[in-house]
Amino acid sequence: MMGPAHSLSGAAAWLGLGAAAYALDEPMPWPVLVVGALICAGAALAPDLDHKAATISRSFGPLSRGVCEVVDKISYAVYKATRGKKDPNRKGGHRTLTHTWVWALMCGAAASATAVWVDRWGVLVVLFVHMVLAIEGLLWRQARPSSDVMVWLLGATSAWMLADVLDTTVGGAGWLFSEPGQEYMWVGLPIVVGALVHCLGDALTVSGCPVLWPLPLGGKRWYPLGPPKFMRFKAGSWVEVKVLSPLFVLAGGVGALGALGFVG
């Protein structure tokens, strides 16, 4: 799928998780619901860091483009080192390592560790990166004509303000993990969810997605998981734009109502 649909699906997934948390008597404070949805929307773009033409590769200028090249090479090297006899030859690393559950868990764990060990500045870095990505994904029509600096300023301002809201007594910095020093440990969760939702979205497209690597399926370690081929579509097609994106918006709205206790 393309960036906007990925971001919408990420936000919808977190809002749906908020509804589930409410049903399980672990309701998210509204700041956690909002901030988590934005982080998840941004994280749903992150697996495409292995593609030089993706939204994330141009979101932070030369820095993200350089990281993109490095990640692509690492992903390709991992693919070559671990591919099975039935896995095809490839020329690059797109839709390999960064499109797996292993990568999703690693990114989430790294974000949680940063938030805990580096404290507020670590949280701000995690928020800033994902606010910029959320802006690029959800507000792509406005973001693309704008300068990178304006998007970065909006991301930095949003990160600072949201961190202040979360730090209030009812903000929810200690949601789910309430022990001293564990505040913000939950920020890794929307990152994991966003990355996995991205993979599931790509699994619906023609190429499929090796989200279950390194578990072997059909004699392949990089099995392109997906529905039957007749149910798949091309990225950016009318199915994505006219059907799935509106469904993500509707699902997100229902999830938000459920998370706030208005539904269910």
Side-chain angles (χ1 to χ4, degrees), residues 70-83 90-94 96-97 213 222:
V70 173
V71 171
D72 177 55
K73 287 181 172 58
I74 292 174
S75 298
Y76 183 47
V78 172
Y79 179 84
K80 289 196 301 181
T82 62
R83 74 183 184 94
R90 298 178 60 98
K91 294 183 179 179
H94 181 49
T96 55
L97 179 61
W213 176 87
W222 297 90

Side-chain angles (χ1 to χ4, degrees), residues 170-242:
V170 296
W175 175 72
L176 207 58
F177 301 98
S178 56
E179 294 297 320
Q182 293 183 354
E183 294 84 2
Y184 291 106
M185 188 180 288
W186 60 267
V187 299
L189 183 57
I191 293 173
V192 173
V193 173
L196 291 177
V197 167
H198 177 110
C199 295
L200 293 177
D202 278 353
L204 298 175
T205 63
V206 174
S207 301
C209 185
V211 60
L212 296 180
W213 176 87
L215 302 177
L217 288 175
K220 298 179 179 180
R221 287 199 175 276
W222 297 90
Y223 184 85
L225 192 70
K229 291 189 180 297
F230 74 91
M231 297 178 63
R232 303 186 189 190
F233 55 86
K234 291 184 178 180
S237 69
W238 67 270
V239 176
E240 178 181 329
V241 176
K242 301 293 186 180

Side-chain angles (χ1 to χ4, degrees), residues 86-99:
K86 293 186 178 181
D87 290 309
N89 289 318
R90 298 178 60 98
K91 294 183 179 179
H94 181 49
R95 285 203 186 184
T96 55
L97 179 61
T98 63
H99 287 67

Side-chain angles (χ1 to χ4, degrees), residues 4-264:
H6 277 310
S7 285
L8 283 173
S9 67
W14 183 258
L15 295 171
L17 190 62
Y22 185 90
L24 295 173
D25 293 326
E26 285 288 348
M28 297 180 185
W30 71 263
V32 172
L33 187 68
V34 173
V35 174
L38 291 172
I39 292 175
C40 205
L45 296 180
D48 276 343
L49 191 58
D50 60 3
H51 195 309
K52 64 181 179 181
T55 300
I56 187 173
S57 69
R58 58 176 180 269
S59 294
F60 298 95
L63 175 61
S64 54
R65 287 194 291 272
V67 172
C68 173
E69 291 183 8
V70 173
V71 171
D72 177 55
K73 287 181 172 58
I74 292 174
S75 298
Y76 183 47
V78 172
Y79 179 84
K80 289 196 301 181
T82 62
R83 74 183 184 94
K85 293 181 179 179
K86 293 186 178 181
D87 290 309
N89 289 318
R90 298 178 60 98
K91 294 183 179 179
H94 181 49
R95 285 203 186 184
T96 55
L97 179 61
T98 63
H99 287 67
T100 66
W101 66 272
V102 176
W103 180 270
L105 290 182
M106 288 172 55
C107 290
S112 292
T114 299
V116 172
W117 293 338
V118 188
D119 203 32
R120 181 177 175 84
W121 286 106
V123 173
L124 287 172
V125 169
V126 172
L127 289 179
F128 168 69
V129 170
H130 291 88
M131 290 308 107
V132 169
L133 294 178
I135 293 166
E136 293 279 7
L138 298 175
L139 302 177
W140 64 277
R141 291 184 184 277
Q142 292 76 30
R144 288 187 180 178
S146 304
S147 69
D148 288 339
V149 175
M150 291 300 296
V151 174
W152 298 339
L153 287 174
L154 180 56
T157 303
S158 301
W160 192 273
M161 294 174 63
L162 292 171
D164 281 344
V165 173
L166 288 169
D167 275 337
T168 63
T169 55
V170 296
W175 175 72
L176 207 58
F177 301 98
S178 56
E179 294 297 320
Q182 293 183 354
E183 294 84 2
Y184 291 106
M185 188 180 288
W186 60 267
V187 299
L189 183 57
I191 293 173
V192 173
V193 173
L196 291 177
V197 167
H198 177 110
C199 295
L200 293 177
D202 278 353
L204 298 175
T205 63
V206 174
S207 301
C209 185
V211 60
L212 296 180
W213 176 87
L215 302 177
L217 288 175
K220 298 179 179 180
R221 287 199 175 276
W222 297 90
Y223 184 85
L225 192 70
K229 291 189 180 297
F230 74 91
M231 297 178 63
R232 303 186 189 190
F233 55 86
K234 291 184 178 180
S237 69
W238 67 270
V239 176
E240 178 181 329
V241 176
K242 301 293 186 180
V243 179
L244 292 181
S245 291
L247 283 177
F248 293 149
V249 174
L250 178 61
V254 173
L257 292 174
L260 296 172
F262 295 110
V263 175

